[in-house]
C-alpha cells in the first residue's frame, strides 16, 4: 500500500479555528456541543477544498472523533451491541442499552 501524505496550513483561519476547538473539546462532556462544533468545522474544512480521505484523516477530524468515541465509552462490544440495537429499533422493536456515567 502506498502511503499518502497531506498537508494542512495553520495560516488558514478556518483550519486554525478548527484545531483550536478540537483542543478545547477534549475536556468537554456535552456530546451535543461537541457534535455541533465538529459538524461546523467539517463543513468549513470542506469549504477549503478538502474532501474524502483527506478530510476523514485530518488531525482535527481524528481528535473530534476520538472525543465522541470517549464520551460514548466506545469499545468493540459496545459498538456491536449498538449495531444490533439499531437494527431492532429500525423495525420498531424496543431495546435496552447500558448507560455508563461520565
Amino acid at each position: 500500500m502506498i502511503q499518502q501524505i497531506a498537508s494542512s496550513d495553520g495560516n488558514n483561519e478556518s483550519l486554525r479555528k478548527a484545531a483550536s476547538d478540537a483542543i478545547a473539546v477534549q475536556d468537554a462532556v456535552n456530546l451535543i456541543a461537541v457534535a455541533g462544533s465538529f459538524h461546523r468545522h467539517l463543513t468549513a474544512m470542506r469549504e477549503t477544498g478538502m474532501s474524502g480521505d483527506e478530510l476523514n484523516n485530518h488531525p482535527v477530524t481524528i481528535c473530534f472523533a476520538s472525543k465522541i468515541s470517549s464520551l460514548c465509552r466506545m469499545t468493540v462490544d459496545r459498538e456491536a451491541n449498538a449495531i444490533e440495537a439499531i437494527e431492532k429499533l429500525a423495525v420498531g422493536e424496543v431495546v435496552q442499552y447500558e448507560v455508563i456515567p461520565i
Side-chain angles (χ1 to χ4, degrees), residues 49-101:
M50 265 187 247
S51 64
D53 291 339
E54 186 180 2
L55 183 61
N56 293 347
N57 291 277
H58 193 278
V60 167
T61 303
I62 292 169
C63 288
F64 270 101
S66 173
K67 182 58 186 184
I68 290 170
S69 178
S70 173
L71 287 174
C72 295
R73 303 296 193 247
M74 189 60 71
T75 65
V76 172
D77 288 340
R78 282 178 65 79
E79 182 177 8
N81 291 339
I83 290 169
E84 184 179 318
I86 63 170
E87 289 172 348
K88 291 178 181 178
L89 285 169
V91 295
E93 293 182 37
V94 174
V95 299
Q96 293 183 333
Y97 58 95
E98 181 181 20
V99 175
I100 302 173

Side-chain angles (χ1 to χ4, degrees), residues 6-19 39-52 54-56 58-61:
S7 63
S8 193
D9 187 354
N11 290 310
N12 179 297
E13 185 178 346
S14 294
L15 297 175
R16 189 171 54 250
K17 179 67 172 145
H39 178 261
R40 282 189 303 278
H41 289 303
L42 284 175
T43 300
M45 291 164 66
R46 185 165 181 148
E47 290 171 0
T48 71
M50 265 187 247
S51 64
E54 186 180 2
L55 183 61
N56 293 347
H58 193 278
V60 167
T61 303

